[in-house]
Amino acid sequence: MPESEEISRGLEDVNIKWTRLTTIDGEKGILRYGGYSIEDIINSGAKVEEIQYLFLYGELPNKEKLEKFRENVEKGYNVPGYIIETIRKLPKESDSVAMQMTAFASLAAAETKFKWNKETNRELAALSIGRMAGITVNVYRHFMGMEPAIPEHSDSFAKSFLKAAFGKEPSQESIDAMNAALILYTDHEVPASTTAGLVAVSTLSDIYSGVTAALAALKGPLHGGAAEAAIAQFAEIGDENNVENWFKNNILSGNRRLMGFGHRVYKTYDPRAKIFKSFAEKLVKNNKEAEKLFKIAKKLEELGIKQYGAKGIYPNTDFYSGIVYMAIGFPLKNNIYTGLFALSRITGWQAHFIEYVEEQHRLIRPRAVYKGPEPRQFLPINKR
Ligand code: CMC
């Protein structure tokens, strides 16, 4: 039997669950959350907390429901002291996503009473979203050499997060861009991170361990790590005039992949990349470094599409997101852009875990096709 019939490499086109959360049409470049198109959501001016609610409760909230939900999220802002201490013991050069993993692994270690329960799953997931905000603020402040801080109540999740991270009032423009980035990264069906988390919770391990597993898979450069790797390549090119040479020597030579390009599901322009690009266009005017990298990115996009477009390889969501994060004020440092992706994606991860555990639970346990030696006699070490 040919290998392709025996195994599904990369689990391509394997359905591991059903979902009401997110749908993607990879040929047409369409993304919908709970039936709402990503463009409609962004254009409506919705706050990410409405989308977090939609993912956990299946419908958009009214004002009262949203207020109550936000209270649950905000309870998580004040992360336990042992987490702040753990983060601050790590070297300042540490990877942001690995620091988030350490924090969630610490929650898994300490919160031994966690039980999956329909009555409390959503409240705990809201609490974890708040904790992720508190954790990410402190991961950032640690490697930037700043004192710990806790997000406080404000009129939006994005504003509370930015204010605590930077320790000053953020501009309305950066709050709007952060809010949009948080929405764009909320969920994407079952990519590697969500699948890794689902494998963990399918054993009925706790929700914090599920998030830890998801973070481990997100970190790699073929998935969330591309958010930082894409902008790192623009910085490496350094100047608009170097783009063509760099592309020839690094990409056309086959030495490297173009980061922020290509997708397992989208065979056309990722709709999230279009939105990130439009935010980048507005924001870079106030940030010289981001403006320079944006010019490089646009030129690289042109070459990339010319070379790979016919193969269905286009910019994905990570191509322009780093430029938006840089223009908001986050430096290209410690993989924080991927950490900001995780701050958002924790909503989708947990919503998928809940959907799976509550309604379609079964241990995930695939098989492997054995290709090793035929049965043979085991010889003790002194006879080998
Ligand atoms: N640059 C150059 N060639 C590429 C790229 C790229 N970015 N992406 C795919 N290809 C080529 C690849 O070399 C292969 O060519 P051939 O058939 O000649 O050997 C073909 O396309 C298929 O590649 P694959 O790795 O089997 O395809 P996949 O479906 O596993 O690819 C991917 C998905 C995301 C791993 C890949 O596109 C990639 O490595 N992209 C760069 C990393 C990146 O931007 N990741 C972010 C993904 S989307 C958002 C997220 O998850 O954070």
Side-chain angles (χ1 to χ4, degrees), residues 104-238:
F104 270 87
S106 308
L107 281 170
E111 308 231 344
T112 52
K113 298 213 167 55
F114 175 87
K115 286 249 169 338
W116 291 100
N117 176 346
K118 274 191 180 175
E119 307 302 315
T120 51
N121 286 343
R122 286 160 188 77
E123 247 171 68
L124 273 178
L127 188 75
S128 289
I129 293 172
R131 281 173 160 173
M132 180 57 117
I135 287 165
T136 309
V137 159
N138 283 290
V139 160
Y140 174 73
R141 292 180 64 97
H142 174 50
F143 73 69
M144 292 299 286
M146 297 158 92
E147 288 303 308
I150 287 160
E152 285 170 8
H153 173 77
S154 75
D155 50 17
S156 74
F157 180 86
K159 181 172 176 182
S160 297
F161 174 75
L162 289 179
K163 196 171 167 191
F166 297 142
K168 59 178 193 219
E169 203 69 31
S171 69
Q172 192 55 48
E173 210 179 27
S174 56
I175 296 168
D176 292 345
M178 187 69 207
N179 180 65
L182 285 163
I183 292 175
L184 291 170
Y185 274 127
T186 296
D187 188 49
H188 210 236
E189 205 217 54
V190 284
S193 55
T194 315
T195 304
L198 282 167
V199 171
V201 302
S202 85
T203 69
L204 294 183
S205 190
D206 61 275
I207 202 161
Y208 314 109
S209 298
V211 171
T212 311
L215 284 163
L218 184 79
K219 187 169 166 286
L222 295 190
H223 187 10
E228 185 126 340
I231 184 163
Q233 91 202 326
F234 310 149
E236 182 189 322
I237 295 170

Side-chain angles (χ1 to χ4, degrees), residues 153-322:
H153 173 77
S154 75
D155 50 17
S156 74
F157 180 86
K159 181 172 176 182
S160 297
F161 174 75
L162 289 179
K163 196 171 167 191
F166 297 142
K168 59 178 193 219
E169 203 69 31
S171 69
Q172 192 55 48
E173 210 179 27
S174 56
I175 296 168
D176 292 345
M178 187 69 207
N179 180 65
L182 285 163
I183 292 175
L184 291 170
Y185 274 127
T186 296
D187 188 49
H188 210 236
E189 205 217 54
V190 284
S193 55
T194 315
T195 304
L198 282 167
V199 171
V201 302
S202 85
T203 69
L204 294 183
S205 190
D206 61 275
I207 202 161
Y208 314 109
S209 298
V211 171
T212 311
L215 284 163
L218 184 79
K219 187 169 166 286
L222 295 190
H223 187 10
E228 185 126 340
I231 184 163
Q233 91 202 326
F234 310 149
E236 182 189 322
I237 295 170
D239 189 286
E240 243 188 304
N241 297 319
N242 294 340
V243 176
E244 268 182 52
N245 254 339
W246 184 92
F247 188 74
K248 195 166 122 225
N249 295 335
N250 293 281
I251 307 296
L252 293 184
S253 62
N255 289 339
R256 285 157 74 170
R257 282 189 175 197
L258 187 53
M259 302 312 279
F261 251 68
H263 199 277
R264 178 63 66 77
V265 183
Y266 291 119
K267 297 304 162 206
T268 182
Y269 212 112
D270 182 331
R272 302 166 299 172
K274 280 189 199 153
I275 300 172
F276 268 123
K277 189 177 179 183
S278 70
F279 271 92
E281 197 91 52
K282 285 182 265 173
L283 280 171
V284 295
K285 290 180 194 107
N286 305 322
N287 184 313
K288 285 263 163 293
E289 182 63 10
E291 190 174 33
K292 183 178 85 179
L293 298 186
F294 188 47
K295 284 186 184 150
I296 294 171
K298 285 195 285 186
K299 214 161 167 188
L300 195 56
E301 176 193 327
E302 253 179 61
L303 296 180
I305 293 181
K306 210 161 132 202
Q307 183 66 26
Y308 297 117
K311 275 177 88 177
I313 299 172
Y314 284 88
N316 63 51
T317 190
D318 296 330
F319 196 71
Y320 287 110
S321 63

Side-chain angles (χ1 to χ4, degrees), residues 13 24 61 86 89 93 98 133 141 230 254 263 265 270 295 368 383:
D13 293 329
I24 308 167
T86 306
K89 282 197 179 119
E93 304 71 40
R141 292 180 64 97
H263 199 277
V265 183
D270 182 331
K295 284 186 184 150
K383 300 236 169 96

